[in-house]
Tab-separated table of all heavy atoms in Angstrom:
chain	number	residue	atom	x	y	z
A	85	MET	N	-14.770	7.666	-4.694
A	85	MET	CA	-13.570	6.927	-4.351
A	85	MET	C	-13.869	6.095	-3.103
A	85	MET	O	-14.341	6.613	-2.101
A	85	MET	CB	-12.433	7.899	-4.097
A	85	MET	CG	-11.101	7.309	-4.284
A	85	MET	SD	-9.892	8.641	-4.157
A	85	MET	CE	-8.711	8.084	-5.269
A	86	THR	N	-13.582	4.831	-3.194
A	86	THR	CA	-13.895	3.933	-2.084
A	86	THR	C	-12.774	3.939	-1.054
A	86	THR	O	-11.638	4.340	-1.348
A	86	THR	CB	-14.094	2.501	-2.608
A	86	THR	OG1	-12.862	2.049	-3.161
A	86	THR	CG2	-15.185	2.441	-3.659
A	87	PRO	N	-13.064	3.477	0.167
A	87	PRO	CA	-12.008	3.395	1.180
A	87	PRO	C	-10.843	2.494	0.772
A	87	PRO	O	-9.706	2.734	1.175
A	87	PRO	CB	-12.736	2.831	2.403
A	87	PRO	CG	-14.154	3.221	2.207
A	87	PRO	CD	-14.384	3.187	0.728
A	88	ASP	N	-11.131	1.463	-0.029
A	88	ASP	CA	-10.051	0.583	-0.486
A	88	ASP	C	-9.055	1.332	-1.371
A	88	ASP	O	-7.845	1.169	-1.239
A	88	ASP	CB	-10.620	-0.606	-1.260
A	88	ASP	CG	-11.473	-1.509	-0.397
A	88	ASP	OD1	-11.199	-1.582	0.809
A	88	ASP	OD2	-12.404	-2.123	-0.935
A	89	LEU	N	-9.584	2.164	-2.273
A	89	LEU	CA	-8.692	2.935	-3.135
A	89	LEU	C	-7.929	3.992	-2.352
A	89	LEU	O	-6.750	4.237	-2.619
A	89	LEU	CB	-9.493	3.607	-4.253
A	89	LEU	CG	-9.829	2.741	-5.440
A	89	LEU	CD1	-10.633	3.536	-6.455
A	89	LEU	CD2	-8.588	2.184	-6.078
A	90	ILE	N	-8.580	4.612	-1.394
A	90	ILE	CA	-7.896	5.606	-0.566
A	90	ILE	C	-6.752	4.946	0.201
A	90	ILE	O	-5.647	5.489	0.283
A	90	ILE	CB	-8.892	6.291	0.383
A	90	ILE	CG1	-9.869	7.137	-0.421
A	90	ILE	CG2	-8.169	7.150	1.412
A	90	ILE	CD1	-11.023	7.678	0.377
A	91	THR	N	-7.003	3.752	0.734
A	91	THR	CA	-5.960	3.015	1.448
A	91	THR	C	-4.815	2.650	0.510
A	91	THR	O	-3.640	2.778	0.873
A	91	THR	CB	-6.543	1.743	2.074
A	91	THR	OG1	-7.598	2.110	2.963
A	91	THR	CG2	-5.491	0.963	2.837
A	92	ALA	N	-5.145	2.204	-0.686
A	92	ALA	CA	-4.104	1.824	-1.645
A	92	ALA	C	-3.223	3.015	-1.995
A	92	ALA	O	-1.988	2.916	-1.994
A	92	ALA	CB	-4.737	1.238	-2.903
A	93	TYR	N	-3.847	4.155	-2.309
A	93	TYR	CA	-3.063	5.342	-2.668
A	93	TYR	C	-2.256	5.868	-1.480
A	93	TYR	O	-1.109	6.291	-1.646
A	93	TYR	CB	-3.974	6.440	-3.217
A	93	TYR	CG	-4.570	6.098	-4.560
A	93	TYR	CD1	-5.894	6.374	-4.835
A	93	TYR	CD2	-3.812	5.499	-5.552
A	93	TYR	CE1	-6.445	6.067	-6.066
A	93	TYR	CE2	-4.351	5.190	-6.782
A	93	TYR	CZ	-5.670	5.475	-7.037
A	93	TYR	OH	-6.203	5.166	-8.254
A	94	ALA	N	-2.839	5.843	-0.290
A	94	ALA	CA	-2.117	6.327	0.894
A	94	ALA	C	-0.917	5.441	1.207
A	94	ALA	O	0.158	5.946	1.565
A	94	ALA	CB	-3.062	6.391	2.090
A	95	CYS	N	-1.073	4.135	1.068
A	95	CYS	CA	0.049	3.231	1.338
A	95	CYS	C	1.143	3.360	0.288
A	95	CYS	O	2.322	3.280	0.606
A	95	CYS	CB	-0.439	1.790	1.422
A	95	CYS	SG	-1.290	1.420	2.946
A	96	ARG	N	0.756	3.569	-0.960
A	96	ARG	CA	1.776	3.796	-2.000
A	96	ARG	C	2.553	5.080	-1.723
A	96	ARG	O	3.770	5.107	-1.853
A	96	ARG	CB	1.123	3.878	-3.369
A	96	ARG	CG	0.686	2.553	-3.906
A	96	ARG	CD	0.077	2.717	-5.262
A	96	ARG	NE	-0.559	1.485	-5.695
A	96	ARG	CZ	-1.470	1.436	-6.624
A	96	ARG	NH1	-1.856	2.527	-7.240
A	96	ARG	NH2	-2.009	0.292	-6.959
A	97	PHE	N	1.834	6.130	-1.369
A	97	PHE	CA	2.497	7.391	-1.059
A	97	PHE	C	3.417	7.233	0.149
A	97	PHE	O	4.550	7.738	0.153
A	97	PHE	CB	1.460	8.480	-0.794
A	97	PHE	CG	2.066	9.805	-0.452
A	97	PHE	CD1	2.631	10.591	-1.445
A	97	PHE	CD2	2.089	10.255	0.847
A	97	PHE	CE1	3.205	11.810	-1.131
A	97	PHE	CE2	2.658	11.471	1.170
A	97	PHE	CZ	3.219	12.258	0.179
A	98	ALA	N	2.956	6.529	1.180
A	98	ALA	CA	3.783	6.307	2.372
A	98	ALA	C	5.011	5.469	2.041
A	98	ALA	O	6.101	5.719	2.574
A	98	ALA	CB	2.953	5.633	3.459
A	99	ALA	N	4.856	4.484	1.158
A	99	ALA	CA	6.000	3.647	0.791
A	99	ALA	C	7.044	4.446	0.022
A	99	ALA	O	8.247	4.320	0.283
A	99	ALA	CB	5.529	2.454	-0.043
A	100	VAL	N	6.600	5.276	-0.904
A	100	VAL	CA	7.547	6.098	-1.671
A	100	VAL	C	8.228	7.113	-0.755
A	100	VAL	O	9.443	7.338	-0.840
A	100	VAL	CB	6.825	6.786	-2.849
A	100	VAL	CG1	7.699	7.818	-3.506
A	100	VAL	CG2	6.371	5.747	-3.854
A	101	SER	N	7.479	7.701	0.162
A	101	SER	CA	8.067	8.651	1.105
A	101	SER	C	9.064	7.965	2.041
A	101	SER	O	10.129	8.515	2.334
A	101	SER	CB	6.969	9.316	1.942
A	101	SER	OG	6.094	10.030	1.125
A	102	ALA	N	8.719	6.764	2.512
A	102	ALA	CA	9.631	6.023	3.381
A	102	ALA	C	10.892	5.620	2.634
A	102	ALA	O	11.992	5.640	3.204
A	102	ALA	CB	8.935	4.792	3.943
A	103	CYS	N	10.756	5.274	1.377
A	103	CYS	CA	11.926	4.914	0.573
A	103	CYS	C	12.851	6.116	0.402
A	103	CYS	O	14.069	6.006	0.581
A	103	CYS	CB	11.469	4.374	-0.770
A	103	CYS	SG	12.810	3.730	-1.775
A	104	ALA	N	12.269	7.256	0.069
A	104	ALA	CA	13.094	8.459	-0.107
A	104	ALA	C	13.721	8.898	1.207
A	104	ALA	O	14.904	9.243	1.270
A	104	ALA	CB	12.239	9.584	-0.686
A	105	GLY	N	12.946	8.880	2.276
A	105	GLY	CA	13.480	9.265	3.581
A	105	GLY	C	14.540	8.300	4.087
A	105	GLY	O	15.556	8.710	4.646
A	106	GLY	N	14.298	7.014	3.886
A	106	GLY	CA	15.282	6.019	4.319
A	106	GLY	C	16.577	6.118	3.540
A	106	GLY	O	17.672	5.995	4.112
A	107	ALA	N	16.465	6.356	2.249
A	107	ALA	CA	17.679	6.498	1.435
A	107	ALA	C	18.461	7.740	1.832
A	107	ALA	O	19.692	7.698	1.947
A	107	ALA	CB	17.310	6.555	-0.043
A	108	SER	N	17.764	8.851	2.065
A	108	SER	CA	18.483	10.073	2.429
A	108	SER	C	19.082	9.979	3.828
A	108	SER	O	20.188	10.472	4.070
A	108	SER	CB	17.560	11.290	2.323
A	108	SER	OG	16.529	11.208	3.269
A	109	LEU	N	18.377	9.333	4.762
A	109	LEU	CA	18.947	9.159	6.099
A	109	LEU	C	20.146	8.228	6.080
A	109	LEU	O	21.125	8.452	6.796
A	109	LEU	CB	17.888	8.617	7.062
A	109	LEU	CG	16.877	9.620	7.584
A	109	LEU	CD1	15.795	8.912	8.388
A	109	LEU	CD2	17.553	10.675	8.442
A	110	THR	N	20.075	7.183	5.263
A	110	THR	CA	21.185	6.240	5.187
A	110	THR	C	22.420	6.905	4.596
A	110	THR	O	23.539	6.709	5.088
A	110	THR	CB	20.778	5.015	4.348
A	110	THR	OG1	19.621	4.425	4.942
A	110	THR	CG2	21.879	3.989	4.304
A	111	THR	N	22.242	7.694	3.554
A	111	THR	CA	23.395	8.360	2.952
A	111	THR	C	23.922	9.505	3.821
A	111	THR	O	25.092	9.878	3.695
A	111	THR	CB	23.055	8.910	1.556
A	111	THR	OG1	21.953	9.798	1.657
A	111	THR	CG2	22.725	7.789	0.597
A	112	ALA	N	23.076	10.030	4.703
A	112	ALA	CA	23.514	11.116	5.591
A	112	ALA	C	24.222	10.591	6.837
A	112	ALA	O	24.676	11.378	7.670
A	112	ALA	CB	22.319	11.970	6.003
A	113	GLY	N	24.311	9.294	6.980
A	113	GLY	CA	25.024	8.725	8.119
A	113	GLY	C	24.118	8.264	9.247
A	113	GLY	O	24.593	7.699	10.228
A	114	GLN	N	22.835	8.478	9.136
A	114	GLN	CA	21.889	8.011	10.150
A	114	GLN	C	21.337	6.655	9.720
A	114	GLN	O	20.149	6.479	9.516
A	114	GLN	CB	20.750	9.037	10.299
A	114	GLN	CG	21.182	10.396	10.716
A	114	GLN	CD	21.704	10.403	12.140
A	114	GLN	OE1	21.234	9.650	12.991
A	114	GLN	NE2	22.689	11.241	12.397
A	115	TRP	N	22.214	5.673	9.621
A	115	TRP	CA	21.817	4.405	9.030
A	115	TRP	C	20.800	3.621	9.838
A	115	TRP	O	19.974	2.923	9.250
A	115	TRP	CB	23.035	3.554	8.678
A	115	TRP	CG	23.859	3.116	9.840
A	115	TRP	CD1	24.918	3.756	10.373
A	115	TRP	CD2	23.668	1.930	10.600
A	115	TRP	NE1	25.401	3.055	11.431
A	115	TRP	CE2	24.651	1.923	11.595
A	115	TRP	CE3	22.760	0.879	10.542
A	115	TRP	CZ2	24.748	0.901	12.529
A	115	TRP	CZ3	22.846	-0.138	11.466
A	115	TRP	CH2	23.846	-0.116	12.447
A	116	PRO	N	20.780	3.649	11.197
A	116	PRO	CA	19.729	2.871	11.883
A	116	PRO	C	18.318	3.357	11.534
A	116	PRO	O	17.427	2.549	11.248
A	116	PRO	CB	20.021	3.077	13.361
A	116	PRO	CG	21.473	3.415	13.431
A	116	PRO	CD	21.732	4.201	12.182
A	117	ALA	N	18.110	4.663	11.526
A	117	ALA	CA	16.791	5.196	11.187
A	117	ALA	C	16.473	4.952	9.714
A	117	ALA	O	15.329	4.637	9.358
A	117	ALA	CB	16.740	6.685	11.500
A	118	GLY	N	17.475	5.085	8.867
A	118	GLY	CA	17.273	4.850	7.441
A	118	GLY	C	16.907	3.415	7.130
A	118	GLY	O	16.022	3.147	6.321
A	119	VAL	N	17.579	2.482	7.794
A	119	VAL	CA	17.290	1.062	7.578
A	119	VAL	C	15.885	0.724	8.071
A	119	VAL	O	15.158	-0.043	7.435
A	119	VAL	CB	18.364	0.187	8.253
A	119	VAL	CG1	17.947	-1.272	8.301
A	119	VAL	CG2	19.687	0.336	7.526
A	120	LEU	N	15.472	1.300	9.185
A	120	LEU	CA	14.118	1.042	9.681
A	120	LEU	C	13.056	1.557	8.719
A	120	LEU	O	12.038	0.899	8.496
A	120	LEU	CB	13.929	1.682	11.066
A	120	LEU	CG	14.619	0.962	12.221
A	120	LEU	CD1	14.469	1.765	13.508
A	120	LEU	CD2	14.044	-0.429	12.400
A	121	LEU	N	13.285	2.726	8.138
A	121	LEU	CA	12.333	3.234	7.148
A	121	LEU	C	12.316	2.368	5.896
A	121	LEU	O	11.252	2.078	5.343
A	121	LEU	CB	12.663	4.676	6.785
A	121	LEU	CG	12.157	5.748	7.730
A	121	LEU	CD1	12.648	7.117	7.272
A	121	LEU	CD2	10.654	5.729	7.803
A	122	LEU	N	13.484	1.957	5.437
A	122	LEU	CA	13.537	1.101	4.254
A	122	LEU	C	12.917	-0.268	4.513
A	122	LEU	O	12.383	-0.900	3.602
A	122	LEU	CB	14.979	0.950	3.780
A	122	LEU	CG	15.597	2.200	3.171
A	122	LEU	CD1	17.081	1.980	2.909
A	122	LEU	CD2	14.876	2.582	1.895
A	123	TRP	N	12.950	-0.711	5.766
A	123	TRP	CA	12.360	-1.992	6.132
A	123	TRP	C	10.827	-1.951	6.009
A	123	TRP	O	10.187	-2.969	5.743
A	123	TRP	CB	12.789	-2.338	7.562
A	123	TRP	CG	12.259	-3.624	8.078
A	123	TRP	CD1	12.569	-4.876	7.654
A	123	TRP	CD2	11.316	-3.767	9.131
A	123	TRP	NE1	11.875	-5.794	8.388
A	123	TRP	CE2	11.109	-5.141	9.304
A	123	TRP	CE3	10.644	-2.871	9.953
A	123	TRP	CZ2	10.233	-5.638	10.258
A	123	TRP	CZ3	9.786	-3.367	10.901
A	123	TRP	CH2	9.591	-4.739	11.049
A	124	LEU	N	10.235	-0.781	6.163
A	124	LEU	CA	8.783	-0.637	6.067
A	124	LEU	C	8.256	-0.666	4.635
A	124	LEU	O	7.086	-0.957	4.414
A	124	LEU	CB	8.348	0.687	6.698
A	124	LEU	CG	8.412	0.797	8.200
A	124	LEU	CD1	8.071	2.220	8.610
A	124	LEU	CD2	7.467	-0.174	8.842
A	125	VAL	N	9.087	-0.357	3.661
A	125	VAL	CA	8.639	-0.173	2.287
A	125	VAL	C	7.932	-1.412	1.716
A	125	VAL	O	6.820	-1.288	1.185
A	125	VAL	CB	9.798	0.294	1.389
A	125	VAL	CG1	9.411	0.300	-0.073
A	125	VAL	CG2	10.258	1.680	1.822
A	126	PRO	N	8.500	-2.623	1.793
A	126	PRO	CA	7.799	-3.776	1.194
A	126	PRO	C	6.436	-4.050	1.830
A	126	PRO	O	5.482	-4.390	1.130
A	126	PRO	CB	8.755	-4.948	1.427
A	126	PRO	CG	10.079	-4.337	1.643
A	126	PRO	CD	9.826	-3.009	2.276
A	127	SER	N	6.335	-3.897	3.147
A	127	SER	CA	5.048	-4.165	3.782
A	127	SER	C	4.006	-3.118	3.395
A	127	SER	O	2.823	-3.436	3.237
A	127	SER	CB	5.198	-4.246	5.297
A	127	SER	OG	5.799	-3.085	5.802
A	128	LEU	N	4.416	-1.871	3.197
A	128	LEU	CA	3.472	-0.854	2.747
A	128	LEU	C	2.992	-1.132	1.324
A	128	LEU	O	1.806	-0.960	1.017
A	128	LEU	CB	4.102	0.536	2.831
A	128	LEU	CG	4.274	1.094	4.242
A	128	LEU	CD1	5.136	2.344	4.200
A	128	LEU	CD2	2.939	1.381	4.871
A	129	PHE	N	3.892	-1.571	0.460
A	129	PHE	CA	3.474	-1.928	-0.898
A	129	PHE	C	2.557	-3.156	-0.886
A	129	PHE	O	1.624	-3.252	-1.679
A	129	PHE	CB	4.676	-2.184	-1.800
A	129	PHE	CG	5.242	-0.939	-2.408
A	129	PHE	CD1	6.575	-0.631	-2.267
A	129	PHE	CD2	4.445	-0.072	-3.130
A	129	PHE	CE1	7.108	0.515	-2.830
A	129	PHE	CE2	4.957	1.080	-3.700
A	129	PHE	CZ	6.297	1.372	-3.546
A	130	LEU	N	2.789	-4.095	0.020
A	130	LEU	CA	1.930	-5.267	0.131
A	130	LEU	C	0.520	-4.869	0.570
A	130	LEU	O	-0.474	-5.352	0.020
A	130	LEU	CB	2.530	-6.273	1.117
A	130	LEU	CG	1.699	-7.531	1.356
A	130	LEU	CD1	1.663	-8.380	0.096
A	130	LEU	CD2	2.269	-8.316	2.515
A	131	ILE	N	0.430	-3.973	1.546
A	131	ILE	CA	-0.875	-3.500	2.001
A	131	ILE	C	-1.594	-2.767	0.869
A	131	ILE	O	-2.801	-2.944	0.660
A	131	ILE	CB	-0.714	-2.603	3.238
A	131	ILE	CG1	-0.227	-3.427	4.421
A	131	ILE	CG2	-2.025	-1.904	3.584
A	131	ILE	CD1	0.213	-2.593	5.603
A	132	ALA	N	-0.863	-1.951	0.116
A	132	ALA	CA	-1.468	-1.234	-1.004
A	132	ALA	C	-1.983	-2.203	-2.065
A	132	ALA	O	-3.073	-2.013	-2.618
A	132	ALA	CB	-0.457	-0.274	-1.618
A	133	HIS	N	-1.226	-3.253	-2.324
A	133	HIS	CA	-1.648	-4.239	-3.319
A	133	HIS	C	-2.908	-4.969	-2.873
A	133	HIS	O	-3.843	-5.169	-3.648
A	133	HIS	CB	-0.511	-5.226	-3.580
A	133	HIS	CG	-0.866	-6.303	-4.538
A	133	HIS	ND1	-1.096	-6.071	-5.873
A	133	HIS	CD2	-1.059	-7.633	-4.357
A	133	HIS	CE1	-1.403	-7.214	-6.472
A	133	HIS	NE2	-1.387	-8.159	-5.563
A	134	ARG	N	-2.949	-5.347	-1.599
A	134	ARG	CA	-4.131	-6.054	-1.092
A	134	ARG	C	-5.359	-5.155	-1.074
A	134	ARG	O	-6.471	-5.606	-1.337
A	134	ARG	CB	-3.847	-6.620	0.286
A	134	ARG	CG	-2.735	-7.652	0.210
A	134	ARG	CD	-2.739	-8.664	1.232
A	134	ARG	NE	-4.034	-9.075	1.659
A	134	ARG	CZ	-4.335	-10.323	1.921
A	134	ARG	NH1	-3.440	-11.244	1.731
A	134	ARG	NH2	-5.522	-10.651	2.369
A	135	ALA	N	-5.169	-3.880	-0.788
A	135	ALA	CA	-6.302	-2.951	-0.827
A	135	ALA	C	-6.798	-2.772	-2.256
A	135	ALA	O	-8.000	-2.671	-2.487
A	135	ALA	CB	-5.895	-1.605	-0.228
A	136	ARG	N	-5.893	-2.754	-3.200
A	136	ARG	CA	-6.289	-2.630	-4.604
A	136	ARG	C	-7.059	-3.873	-5.052
A	136	ARG	O	-8.045	-3.775	-5.782
A	136	ARG	CB	-5.039	-2.421	-5.464
A	136	ARG	CG	-5.318	-2.201	-6.902
A	136	ARG	CD	-5.933	-0.852	-7.109
A	136	ARG	NE	-6.114	-0.618	-8.536
A	136	ARG	CZ	-6.727	0.405	-9.027
A	136	ARG	NH1	-7.191	1.327	-8.228
A	136	ARG	NH2	-6.872	0.547	-10.307
A	137	LEU	N	-6.610	-5.056	-4.610
A	137	LEU	CA	-7.331	-6.283	-4.950
A	137	LEU	C	-8.717	-6.295	-4.319
A	137	LEU	O	-9.676	-6.776	-4.922
A	137	LEU	CB	-6.550	-7.516	-4.491
A	137	LEU	CG	-5.287	-7.851	-5.274
A	137	LEU	CD1	-4.609	-9.065	-4.667
A	137	LEU	CD2	-5.604	-8.089	-6.730
A	138	ALA	N	-8.834	-5.783	-3.119
A	138	ALA	CA	-10.136	-5.727	-2.453
A	138	ALA	C	-11.084	-4.805	-3.201
A	138	ALA	O	-12.291	-5.042	-3.235
A	138	ALA	CB	-9.970	-5.260	-1.012
A	139	HIS	N	-10.545	-3.771	-3.812
A	139	HIS	CA	-11.389	-2.849	-4.567
A	139	HIS	C	-11.907	-3.486	-5.853
A	139	HIS	O	-13.045	-3.257	-6.249
A	139	HIS	CB	-10.618	-1.574	-4.911
A	139	HIS	CG	-11.365	-0.665	-5.823
A	139	HIS	ND1	-12.460	0.045	-5.405
A	139	HIS	CD2	-11.209	-0.376	-7.130
A	139	HIS	CE1	-12.932	0.739	-6.428
A	139	HIS	NE2	-12.184	0.504	-7.479
A	140	THR	N	-11.100	-4.299	-6.498
A	140	THR	CA	-11.492	-4.865	-7.789
A	140	THR	C	-12.305	-6.145	-7.656
A	140	THR	O	-12.829	-6.637	-8.649
A	140	THR	CB	-10.253	-5.149	-8.651
A	140	THR	OG1	-9.389	-6.046	-7.948
A	140	THR	CG2	-9.513	-3.869	-8.965
A	141	ARG	N	-12.412	-6.685	-6.461
A	141	ARG	CA	-13.141	-7.929	-6.260
A	141	ARG	C	-14.647	-7.672	-6.377
A	141	ARG	O	-15.176	-6.717	-5.850
A	141	ARG	CB	-12.821	-8.495	-4.881
A	141	ARG	CG	-13.379	-9.867	-4.646
A	141	ARG	CD	-12.962	-10.413	-3.303
A	141	ARG	NE	-11.523	-10.359	-3.148
A	141	ARG	CZ	-10.912	-9.842	-2.093
A	141	ARG	NH1	-11.603	-9.329	-1.109
A	141	ARG	NH2	-9.604	-9.831	-2.012
A	142	ILE	N	-15.333	-8.544	-7.069
A	142	ILE	CA	-16.787	-8.451	-7.189
A	142	ILE	C	-17.402	-9.463	-6.226
A	142	ILE	O	-17.113	-10.655	-6.289
A	142	ILE	CB	-17.252	-8.750	-8.628
A	142	ILE	CG1	-16.675	-7.732	-9.594
A	142	ILE	CG2	-18.768	-8.777	-8.706
A	142	ILE	CD1	-16.980	-8.041	-11.038
A	143	HIS	N	-18.224	-8.974	-5.342
A	143	HIS	CA	-18.855	-9.854	-4.358
A	143	HIS	C	-20.108	-10.494	-4.960
A	143	HIS	O	-20.775	-9.909	-5.807
A	143	HIS	CB	-19.216	-9.056	-3.115
A	143	HIS	CG	-18.026	-8.431	-2.474
A	143	HIS	ND1	-17.091	-9.159	-1.788
A	143	HIS	CD2	-17.605	-7.152	-2.422
A	143	HIS	CE1	-16.156	-8.353	-1.334
A	143	HIS	NE2	-16.438	-7.125	-1.717
A	144	GLN	N	-20.425	-11.663	-4.510
A	144	GLN	CA	-21.592	-12.367	-5.001
A	144	GLN	C	-22.872	-11.591	-4.729
A	144	GLN	O	-23.806	-11.644	-5.509
A	144	GLN	CB	-21.684	-13.750	-4.347
A	144	GLN	CG	-20.621	-14.719	-4.806
A	144	GLN	CD	-20.876	-15.187	-6.214
A	144	GLN	OE1	-20.675	-14.445	-7.166
A	144	GLN	NE2	-21.315	-16.407	-6.361
A	145	THR	N	-22.956	-10.881	-3.627
A	145	THR	CA	-24.187	-10.189	-3.273
A	145	THR	C	-24.418	-8.958	-4.142
A	145	THR	O	-25.543	-8.487	-4.218
A	145	THR	CB	-24.144	-9.758	-1.802
A	145	THR	OG1	-22.997	-8.925	-1.597
A	145	THR	CG2	-24.081	-10.957	-0.892
A	146	GLU	N	-23.381	-8.449	-4.806
A	146	GLU	CA	-23.529	-7.272	-5.632
A	146	GLU	C	-23.960	-7.602	-7.057
A	146	GLU	O	-24.340	-6.721	-7.814
A	146	GLU	CB	-22.225	-6.487	-5.671
A	146	GLU	CG	-21.850	-5.896	-4.340
A	146	GLU	CD	-20.529	-5.169	-4.406
A	146	GLU	OE1	-20.035	-4.901	-5.510
A	146	GLU	OE2	-19.986	-4.862	-3.345
A	147	ARG	N	-23.932	-8.845	-7.447
A	147	ARG	CA	-24.316	-9.232	-8.802
A	147	ARG	C	-25.846	-9.251	-8.917
A	147	ARG	O	-26.549	-9.644	-8.003
A	147	ARG	CB	-23.779	-10.613	-9.148
A	147	ARG	CG	-22.283	-10.634	-9.264
A	147	ARG	CD	-21.815	-11.977	-9.699
A	147	ARG	NE	-20.374	-12.019	-9.771
A	147	ARG	CZ	-19.677	-13.104	-9.946
A	147	ARG	NH1	-20.278	-14.257	-10.083
A	147	ARG	NH2	-18.374	-13.060	-9.992
A	148	THR	N	-26.292	-8.844	-10.051
A	148	THR	CA	-27.734	-8.870	-10.281
A	148	THR	C	-28.052	-10.018	-11.230
A	148	THR	O	-27.319	-10.278	-12.187
A	148	THR	CB	-28.229	-7.554	-10.900
A	148	THR	OG1	-27.531	-7.341	-12.110
A	148	THR	CG2	-27.995	-6.410	-9.947
A	149	SER	N	-29.113	-10.702	-10.944
A	149	SER	CA	-29.512	-11.816	-11.813
A	149	SER	C	-30.898	-11.511	-12.382
A	149	SER	O	-31.730	-10.882	-11.753
A	149	SER	CB	-29.526	-13.129	-11.032
A	149	SER	OG	-30.437	-13.022	-9.960
A	150	ARG	N	-31.116	-12.004	-13.576
A	150	ARG	CA	-32.415	-11.765	-14.221
A	150	ARG	C	-33.128	-13.070	-14.446
A	150	ARG	O	-32.652	-14.062	-14.681
A	150	ARG	CB	-32.212	-11.067	-15.556
A	150	ARG	CG	-31.680	-9.691	-15.334
A	150	ARG	CD	-31.569	-9.002	-16.659
A	150	ARG	NE	-31.061	-7.655	-16.405
A	150	ARG	CZ	-31.289	-6.653	-17.184
A	150	ARG	NH1	-32.001	-6.801	-18.261
A	150	ARG	NH2	-30.803	-5.478	-16.923
C-alpha cells in the first residue's frame, strides 16, 4: 500500500467521522462546533480525491521502453 492510498483512505475516514460528529453536535445544540466540523468535510474529500489521483498517475520515468 502506497502513501498516496493511505492518505486517501485516512482522509475519507476523517471526512465521514467529521460528518457524523458535526451532524450529531449540530442536532445536540452545539451548533458552532458542529458547523466547524461539517465545514471540514468537503476539503477532506478533496484531499482524498487528489491523493487517489496521485496514486493512479503513471510517471514518465516509470515506463519501460524496448
Side-chain angles (χ1 to χ4, degrees):
M85 204 173 213
T86 64
D88 295 330
L89 279 179
I90 293 171
T91 301
Y93 291 138
C95 285
R96 285 181 190 160
F97 179 76
V100 170
S101 299
C103 186
S108 65
L109 282 173
T110 303
T111 57
Q114 300 292 327
W115 64 269
V119 168
L120 286 174
L121 278 176
L122 290 173
W123 180 67
L124 288 175
V125 172
S127 55
L128 287 169
F129 275 126
L130 178 68
I131 293 169
H133 178 68
R134 297 206 35 140
R136 183 71 176 174
L137 288 178
H139 173 71
T140 58
R141 188 176 307 130
I142 298 174
H143 300 288
Q144 290 288 74
T145 58
E146 294 178 14
R147 292 184 182 170
T148 58
S149 60
R150 293 183 179 206

